[in-house]
Each structure stands twice: as structure tokens, then as C-alpha cells.
Amino acid sequence: MNESAIHVMVWAEIPVLMAELESQFIVHNRAEIKDLAGWGAAEGPKIEAVITNGMLGTEVEVLEFLPNLKVVCSMGVGYDAIDTGYLSHRGIPVSNTPDVLNDAVAEAAMALMLCLTRRISQAERFIRQGAWGSQTFPAGYQLTGKTCGMVGLGKIGRTIARRAEAFGMNIAYYRRGGPYANLDYRHCHSIIELATEADYLVVIVPGGPDTRHLINDDVLAALGRNSYLINVSRGSVVDEAALIASLQTGGIAGAALDVFKNEPLVPEELIEMDNVILTPHLGSSTHETRQAMADLVLANLRQFFNDGTLITPIN
């Protein structure tokens, strides 16, 4: 394989990946293409691989200009933004980067849970505003002895659950496929049942039409005014309008959100609430994890052009 002769289209410039890609392949940056039709006619037939991520996905309008596309490699575990049906119809395989981000996302979930329940963000602002000494900062709640309800218990979910266990929490979960065999965690037969039991409801399921608004009015009502929602999956999984209404009326105690419906736009109502923790989709954002994800993207790409297979295929 002569990698230096292979043309690769990058959907977004990924700093940790670009130097390696540019040293080994001929790289075309989607963000720099202004005249898509002109570029497509001249350069589109040269492209054999596309690199993207789980949030940007792929645009069919662009893929139509790539008649010789052979593979799509995505940096991230989620792939709901990638039109896998279209690519499968064309016989184009897709890879993602599972497992290497489990620990980082689990750490982020626990950080959000702790920040929310111990009011860490508010406490930090309390000191910066000079209030310590003249006012008493209100007490928070501890995780020990509380129930962590996991909506989804895949590899990332289990990693979160193990960390929550280490904090002395009880673990319950719901999954559409029913209970896992040989797992001691309590399985609930519906999200409503899980929400009723949970002090902290952690959402970690794939995005897409099957999970859109999985967390809705009924789930939030079952969760109740003394419990919290933590979302580290996709913004589409939570009915954002229902969540805002519940928070405004005291329907739930608070929420910690790393993902949103229309990223990077965050509703002003959420920004204004003191019982909501907001982070900019940083679940996998550690230097170690991003490097491991980039390494896996490159390994998938190299292996595909060596023997036609992928290390982590999704279709």
C-alpha cells in the first residue's frame, strides 16, 4: 500500500490527528471547500476515505461527489450523525473508536454528579464573590447510600456504575434488551420504574431516532423533586423543553448536562438556573483519550488499505 498516494477527506480538523494524517496521506479539508460542485468535479473522484467524528457525521450531499469512496472512519463512539444506511447501500464500511473513551466519559459523569450534589460550581463562585465569612454556604448531599439509576448499561455505562459503586452508591439499571445475566445490579423493567427508584438518573445510551426524547415528562415526574438528572449521552435523548419546565417548577432537584439538543447552542433558561451544571460536551475530552481515539482512527485507516478490514467496524 502506498499511503502517500491515498486521498483522504477530513470533515473537521482534528488537531491530535492532522499531523499524522498529513504526513501519510493526501488530505482534503471539508471546512476549506467553498465551491463544493467545482471541487467535487475536480477532486471528488480522488477521495478514497473520509475521516469525521460522531457529532459532525457525514453529509450525503458531499458523499455524492465521492464515487470512489471506500471507507469512513469516525473519531468517537457514537455514530448517529453518520448516515450508515446510505453508506451501507453503497457498500462502504464505517469504523468508530469504542472502548478507548470509557474511562474519560465515566470520570466526567462522576465529576458532574459530584459537582451537582455538592454544589461545587456554586461554592467556587461563592468564594470568588467574597461571600465566605459574611454568609454561610448551604450544605449539599453525599452520594454514599444513594441509588444511581443507569439508563443504558453498555461498556461506558458499566464503567460509570463501577465508579459509582466505589462511592458507596446502589446501582440499578434499565436496558431495552432486558437484564444482563450474571450481573448483581438491580434491573428495572421500565425507565419509569428506574426513575422512581433513582436519586441520580444517569443517561448513557446512543443517540438517534430510537432514543429520541427517551427522557420525557413522565420520566422526569417519576424522578421527582429530590432527585437529579445527569446526561452524558446525546442531547436528543432528553426532551429539553420538558426538562426546562421540570426544573423551573421544582419537578426535579437539578440536572448536570454535558450534551444539548442544538450544540453549541444552550437554552438561556438552563444557563440562568443555579441548580444546573453545564459543560461543553467534554465527556471524552482528555489528552490521553483523544490521542487514543486518534491512534485508533489511524489504525483503522491503515488496516483497511492494507487488507480491506477494520479493527472496529460498525457496519
Side-chain angles (χ1 to χ4, degrees):
M1 175 189 69
N2 181 10
E3 291 178 347
S4 63
I6 295 172
H7 289 250
V8 175
M9 186 176 190
V10 177
W11 236 252
E13 190 164 314
I14 305 168
V16 72
L17 190 58
M18 293 305 293
E20 285 285 330
L21 276 177
E22 289 172 345
S23 70
Q24 299 171 43
F25 301 91
I26 301 169
V27 176
H28 302 252
N29 193 326
R30 168 70 181 96
E32 296 175 354
I33 299 170
K34 306 304 179 187
D35 176 11
L36 181 60
W39 175 90
E43 305 291 336
K46 300 176 184 177
I47 303 297
E48 296 183 67
V50 159
I51 305 292
T52 187
N53 64 40
M55 293 304 299
L56 289 172
T58 51
E59 303 163 84
V60 171
E61 177 191 12
V62 180
L63 296 176
E64 290 286 290
F65 286 105
L66 315 179
N68 297 310
L69 180 63
K70 295 181 174 65
V71 66
V72 172
C73 296
S74 179
M75 184 166 165
V77 66
Y79 50 87
D80 45 296
I82 297 173
D83 194 332
T84 53
Y86 168 87
L87 291 166
S88 179
H89 179 73
R90 283 185 55 178
I92 298 168
V94 181
S95 70
N96 64 345
T97 58
D99 300 334
V100 295
L101 47 68
N102 296 357
D103 289 330
V105 176
E107 288 179 3
M110 293 307 302
L112 287 171
M113 206 181 306
L114 285 163
C115 190
L116 184 62
T117 194
R118 295 300 302 272
R119 299 172 57 85
I120 302 298
S121 292
Q122 296 93 322
E124 199 263 354
R125 292 195 295 272
F126 182 82
I127 288 179
R128 288 184 182 277
Q129 292 164 1
W132 196 18
S134 61
Q135 301 176 42
T136 300
F137 188 76
Y141 292 93
Q142 62 191 48
L143 299 182
T144 306
K146 303 300 196 305
T147 296
C148 178
M150 301 296 306
V151 181
L153 202 68
K155 292 179 179 179
I156 299 176
R158 290 194 189 202
T159 308
I160 295 171
R162 287 194 293 270
R163 281 161 171 73
E165 264 192 300
F167 276 84
M169 302 187 78
N170 305 306
I171 309 300
Y173 73 100
Y174 165 79
R175 67 185 290 262
R176 287 178 296 170
Y180 286 108
N182 304 316
L183 191 63
D184 291 336
Y185 301 148
R186 168 167 161 66
H187 175 261
C188 294
H189 297 287
S190 70
I191 299 181
I192 297 295
E193 180 186 350
L194 178 65
T196 301
E197 292 192 11
D199 298 295
Y200 301 85
L201 192 68
V202 180
V203 185
I204 182 65
V205 294
D210 290 342
T211 58
R212 183 178 181 275
H213 290 183
L214 193 65
I215 307 303
N216 54 28
D217 280 313
D218 293 337
V219 174
L220 294 168
L223 188 58
R225 63 181 58 254
N226 296 317
S227 299
Y228 301 88
L229 177 73
I230 295 90
N231 188 11
V232 286
S233 58
R234 285 287 191 264
S236 61
V237 177
V238 174
D239 182 337
E240 210 166 74
L243 174 61
I244 290 169
S246 181
L247 288 163
Q248 287 175 332
T249 59
I252 65 172
L257 310 170
D258 188 43
V259 289
F260 305 90
K261 178 183 176 182
N262 296 312
E263 296 177 11
L265 302 177
V266 178
E268 193 64 33
E269 296 94 329
L270 291 174
I271 292 172
E272 292 173 352
M273 293 182 195
D274 199 43
N275 61 337
V276 179
I277 303 299
L278 308 170
T279 52
H281 203 144
L282 53 67
S284 66
S285 184
T286 69
H287 293 293
E288 299 90 342
T289 295
R290 291 294 167 88
Q291 187 61 61
M293 292 165 70
D295 290 345
L296 185 50
V297 168
L298 284 166
N300 269 301
L301 196 59
R302 292 192 193 106
Q303 180 164 306
F304 180 83
F305 285 108
N306 273 320
D307 63 17
T309 67
L310 290 165
I311 300 167
T312 51
I314 63 174
N315 69 346

